[in-house]
Amino acid sequence: MTETTNNTVTDERADLLQTLAKHRHFLRFTTRDLTDEQAGQRTTASELCLGGLIKHVTSTERGWANFIEQGTSAMPDFDSVTEADYARRADDFRMLPGETLEDVLAAYEEVANRTDELVAKLPDLNASHPLPKAPWFEPDAQWSARRVLLHIIAETAQHAGHADIIRESLDGQKSMG
């Protein structure tokens, strides 16, 4: 059972939220003191840039939070994804004209707050939903809210590491070492 004291989560959820907060911090920290142009600059052979990584993590976290709340209907089956969907998804990895780092970070903060509130209020971390059909998921697999949160943490940590490499390539600044 979840206990709260003065709006503070005091069970396993606190560990999950603290871990997620740490990795979110490292991801955001990679953008300190950057211009919008720098946040959109590619520094490696990949298409990744710092602003795009944060956009991607924001979109991914939003999608998984929707999955916790709404179940499978929040995510399309792989078979129904169109070329236009792929093109929109690719835009998550780059800064588009008119986008600012400030706006990207604000959107991430909004999604993070929503996820944190959701985790704090979930009646049961074991509640699960079937995953949508996709080649990267086991057939007929189900993920609990706990498993989804662990996935969000892993995604955030992985991309914080990518962001650290991009930032160091950009101007020599390090975030984690």
Side-chain angles (χ1 to χ4, degrees):
M1 178 164 182
T2 301
E3 294 182 38
T4 58
T5 306
N6 298 329
N7 269 345
T8 303
V9 179
T10 59
D11 68 0
E12 168 190 20
R13 296 157 205 261
D15 290 337
L16 293 168
L17 291 173
Q18 287 172 359
T19 302
L20 183 54
K22 178 180 82 171
H23 294 296
R24 285 177 180 149
H25 164 75
F26 281 125
L27 178 60
R28 285 189 299 259
F29 190 64
T30 62
T31 66
R32 71 196 178 287
D33 303 323
L34 292 181
T35 65
D36 295 336
E37 181 181 343
Q38 289 171 311
Q41 186 176 344
R42 293 174 44 205
T43 63
T44 66
S46 80
E47 293 289 325
L48 299 176
C49 66
L50 292 172
L53 274 173
I54 293 172
K55 285 176 57 179
H56 168 68
V57 172
T58 301
S59 175
T60 299
E61 185 170 324
R62 180 185 301 113
W64 283 112
N66 289 343
F67 176 82
I68 290 171
E69 287 185 312
Q70 303 164 22
T72 309
S73 66
M75 302 175 110
D77 283 342
F78 178 76
D79 295 339
S80 67
V81 177
T82 67
E83 288 299 320
D85 294 328
Y86 282 118
R88 278 190 298 279
R89 188 72 173 154
D91 286 344
D92 281 350
F93 289 96
R94 59 183 160 259
M95 296 277 290
L96 300 176
E99 290 182 331
T100 66
L101 179 57
E102 181 180 358
D103 290 343
V104 167
L105 289 168
Y108 187 40
E109 187 70 24
E110 182 179 312
V111 167
N113 289 338
R114 176 181 170 238
T115 301
D116 291 353
E117 290 172 14
L118 174 64
V119 172
K121 294 177 182 179
L122 278 175
D124 183 7
L125 288 175
N126 293 317
S128 65
H129 302 291
L131 291 171
K133 291 181 180 130
W136 47 86
F137 294 134
E138 294 177 27
D140 303 318
Q142 292 198 20
W143 278 11
S144 66
R146 178 183 294 100
R147 175 64 182 92
V148 170
L149 292 168
L150 290 169
H151 180 72
I152 292 169
I153 291 167
E155 274 277 317
T156 305
Q158 178 181 18
H159 290 310
H162 294 146
D164 192 46
I165 292 167
I166 292 169
R167 178 62 193 256
E168 188 172 358
S169 297
L170 181 67
D171 64 2
Q173 294 295 311
K174 295 180 182 179
S175 300
M176 294 188 235

